[in-house]
Every structure is written in C-alpha cells, then in structure tokens.
Amino acid sequence: MKLQRMNRRALTLGALAVSGALALTACGSDDNGGSSNSSSSSTTNASSAICGSAKKGQQLLADGSSAQKNAIDAWVKNFSQACGVQINYKGGGSGAGVTSFNQGQLAFAGSDSALKPEEVTASKKVCSGGQGIDLPMVGGPIALGYNVPGVDNLVLDAPTLAKIFDSKITKWNDAAIKKLNPSATLPDLKIQAFHRSDESGTTDNFTKYLIAATPDNWKYSGGKAWQAKGGQSAAGSAGVAAGVKQTSGAIGYFELSYVADGVKAVSINTGAAAPVAPSTDSATKDIAAAQVVGTGSDLTLKLDYNTKAEGAYPITLVTYEIICDKGNKADTLPATKAFLSYIASEDGQKVLSTIDYAPIPDAIITKVRSTIASIS
C-alpha cells in the first residue's frame, strides 16, 4: 500500500501546484484592494491560460505507455480539476497505443519508443496533410526490482543481467553475482526473471541497454516484444512489479515509481567509480546528454545506454506523446493542445520529480513547447 500512498501524495502535491498557481495569480490583483470580482476574473484568466480553448465537459481518449501511467494520472487529475476536461488514458502499453493512434482512435498516444518509419507512414492516413510526431515528455530510470530475502543492496552489471534474463544464470548464489556482491549473503534460491508479456517500450529500452552494453551476451535484435527464452511474463509495468513483489527470488524491470512494498532496486556497475542506483537525478544526468535526432517537428532523442559517466544511470527511457503535426481532429485538438501544453509547462514538469520520474531537460522541453504551439 506504500505505492498507493505515495501516488495519492503525489497527486495532491500536483493538484496543489495548479491550484496554488491559480491562487497566486488571483492574489496578485489585490494590490489596490481589488474586489472579489477582480479576484474571480484573475482566477478565470489564469485558468484560461492553462485550459486554452478546451471545452468544459469534453472527453479525450488516449492509450499507450504504462511506464508513464502514474505521471499521466497525476497530470490528468490536475488538468481536469482546472479545466473540466475528462481524459481517459488506458496505459495498455506502447504497442497498443501506437496501433490505436494509427487507427484514428485516440487524441494522442504515449510510447517509450519513437515511431518507426513504417509507423510514421501509417500515421499519414489519420493525420490529414501531416504525420505522427514524437514529443519527449517524461523521463525516468528503468529499475531492476528484486525480491531476494536478506539482500538489501544488490549490485549487478550488464553481462550478469543479460545472463539472468536469458536464463543462463539461474541461482542467486551464482559466482558472477557473488563477485559483484562480496559482502552479501546470497541464498541458494532460484531466480525468477519477469518480463513483459505485451509489446512494451520499456522492454525496447531495457534490451537496447543490453545490446549496447553487452552485445556478446545479448544476441537478440531487440524491440517492443520480448525475445529471450524462459522466465515469467506479466502485462504492463504494474503486472511485472506485482509478480516480483509476490515471488521470492524474483527480478523484473519497470519504472522506479513501481518500486515499493518490499521490492528493492538494483544498483548498476557501469564501470564508473561507484555503482549507480536508479533515481530521478541519475536518470536526468543520462537524459541531459541525449541528442535530438528527429527531423522537422519530430523530437526523437538518442540516449546513451552505455554511459560510464559518474552518477549517470544507464537504463533510462523517455516516454513520447504522439500526435499529428497537422491534421488532428478539429473537435479534440483544442483540449489536446491544452493538456500537452500543461504537461510540458514548468508546473507540469515539476510534478514528475514528486513521483520518481525525471523532468525533461530545459533545452529539450523548450523545443517541445514550441512544437505543441504549432500543432494544427
């Protein structure tokens, strides 16, 4: 229940950020003893700045990345309270989100992997005169959560992780794990490695790390679908996290916000002076070095999965919000632009660090804001 309490606290903090911004703006109009009408007018103006021309009572449907589900939930609560717009974000996985977006079913989608060329081509059928673009909006570490009795500070490296998730290391007291954890009391316990059963950008990013950092030990091509043999599977980040929590000897990959209630996170030996634990700060250090490789309005990023920089966590992901650059549905465009503008705003990004996500670095999020303003 710790995770639920954390999420409720984060939602409250985020809501306070929005309501506080409205209140501060309203108070600013009382310098000369303004009336309640001027205060109300100021509050309305502040709300309009957040809501744009979104219509109260409107509904938006979105789907995709489960990695950002906790962030979306916080943002939706704040935005809905301020603007009266209902947003239903399913969080069914990146693959499901992209597919539904390209079928014209969604106002926007979330994906932990940028659109592939063939997906961009498919998007042109629903983006009249335009195409789908990737807007980086949420950053964060992919934690390796584990449930091993008596082991509180576990260190692993890329080769060892690759062998664990490829069923080549099967016991927690394996010599390779002992070498990385000389002071730990490792049990003679079977490893239960959990992976995603659905197509997932989290899987894509985790396996990109393994491919980059230990290509000799991870021979798979990668992608959203899990390819290695063996192990346990579960749907969504929440499903993998639940499997790890409920299974002694388990390990799985999911976003840091899902680490709770007896599940601990692995620190990664990257070759830097000290192992790096997943955190918003260590993820931000890695994301800050990312390069924009998208063209036109697309802001796809290239991450360094093989970083050895001090304090930089190598297994990070960026979740993109996917929308048409041109040709969005006229009835949902104002509300969609308003919501995306809010989550890309300074207030919106501040919410992330309260729930174990990493805000997008200033140089990148500034470009995101400019791109959102140009969407039609």
Side-chain angles (χ1 to χ4, degrees):
M1 306 316 297
K2 178 180 177 183
L3 177 59
Q4 292 178 348
R5 291 196 301 272
M6 179 188 73
N7 286 340
R8 284 198 296 268
R9 177 177 177 272
L11 293 176
T12 301
L13 288 172
L16 287 174
V18 172
S19 61
L22 295 177
L24 285 172
T25 304
C27 291
S29 66
D30 283 341
D31 291 344
N32 298 315
S35 67
S36 60
N37 286 338
S38 65
S39 176
S40 176
S41 176
S42 182
T43 301
T44 300
N45 290 339
S47 181
S48 296
I50 295 172
C51 306
S53 52
K55 297 178 181 178
K56 190 174 182 179
Q58 190 167 24
Q59 297 185 13
L60 296 180
L61 180 62
D63 193 10
S65 164
S66 66
Q68 69 167 356
K69 184 65 165 61
N70 291 335
I72 289 285
D73 286 348
W75 282 330
V76 166
K77 181 178 178 69
N78 299 346
F79 186 77
S80 295
Q81 286 179 344
C83 306
V85 175
Q86 298 180 28
I87 301 174
N88 179 9
Y89 183 82
K90 294 182 178 180
S94 297
V98 172
T99 297
S100 295
F101 178 81
N102 281 341
Q103 291 174 346
Q105 299 174 5
L106 309 176
F108 68 92
S111 177
D112 308 319
S113 299
L115 292 169
K116 296 177 181 178
E118 61 269 26
E119 292 170 337
V120 173
T121 299
S123 73
K124 294 179 180 180
K125 296 178 181 178
V126 296
C127 300
S128 179
Q131 65 181 46
I133 57 173
D134 303 279
L135 302 178
M137 203 73 76
V138 182
I142 299 174
L144 276 302
Y146 68 96
N147 177 1
V148 182
V151 181
D152 294 327
N153 298 293
L154 184 67
V155 175
L156 297 174
D157 59 10
T160 307
L161 281 167
K163 291 172 185 177
I164 286 173
F165 280 90
D166 201 20
S167 302
K168 293 179 179 177
I169 291 179
T170 59
K171 291 288 188 74
W172 280 111
N173 62 349
D174 186 273
I177 302 177
K178 284 184 176 181
K179 185 176 180 180
L180 291 164
N181 300 271
S183 62
T185 302
L186 297 165
D188 182 14
L189 179 66
K190 182 180 179 181
I191 296 174
Q192 303 280 358
F194 278 80
H195 59 265
R196 291 281 289 272
S197 59
D198 52 324
E199 288 202 353
S200 160
T202 310
T203 295
D204 190 17
N205 283 275
F206 176 51
T207 55
K208 280 179 179 176
Y209 159 72
L210 295 176
I211 292 167
T214 184
D216 290 343
N217 293 296
W218 195 258
K219 300 293 187 179
Y220 304 98
S221 60
K224 293 177 184 176
W226 184 257
Q227 297 171 321
K229 302 295 190 293
Q232 308 291 328
S233 65
S237 291
V240 174
V244 173
K245 176 185 174 182
Q246 296 164 7
T247 308
S248 180
I251 185 171
Y253 57 91
F254 36 78
E255 293 63 47
L256 184 60
S257 62
Y258 290 93
V259 175
D261 292 342
V263 176
K264 302 176 180 68
V266 172
S267 292
I268 303 298
N269 182 339
T270 64
V276 184
S279 70
T280 56
D281 288 343
S282 62
T284 297
K285 286 184 179 180
D286 188 49
I287 296 170
Q291 297 177 324
V292 177
V293 294
T295 58
S297 298
D298 186 87
L299 296 175
T300 298
L301 301 179
K302 182 179 180 181
L303 299 171
D304 184 2
Y305 297 99
N306 200 24
T307 181
K308 293 177 174 58
E310 298 297 332
Y313 187 77
I315 319 176
T316 58
L317 61 75
V318 168
T319 299
Y320 301 94
E321 310 312 331
I322 296 171
I323 190 170
C324 301
D325 58 355
K326 298 177 183 178
N328 290 280
K329 294 179 180 178
D331 58 335
T332 58
L333 179 59
T336 304
K337 284 186 70 169
F339 179 67
L340 294 180
S341 295
Y342 160 61
I343 68 178
S345 71
E346 185 176 349
D347 283 342
Q349 288 290 299
K350 281 181 179 177
V351 172
L352 295 176
S353 58
T354 70
I355 47 177
D356 291 327
Y357 291 96
I360 301 299
D362 287 344
I364 299 171
I365 202 67
T366 299
K367 295 179 181 179
V368 172
R369 293 167 187 156
S370 176
T371 301
I372 293 170
S374 70
I375 289 171
S376 61

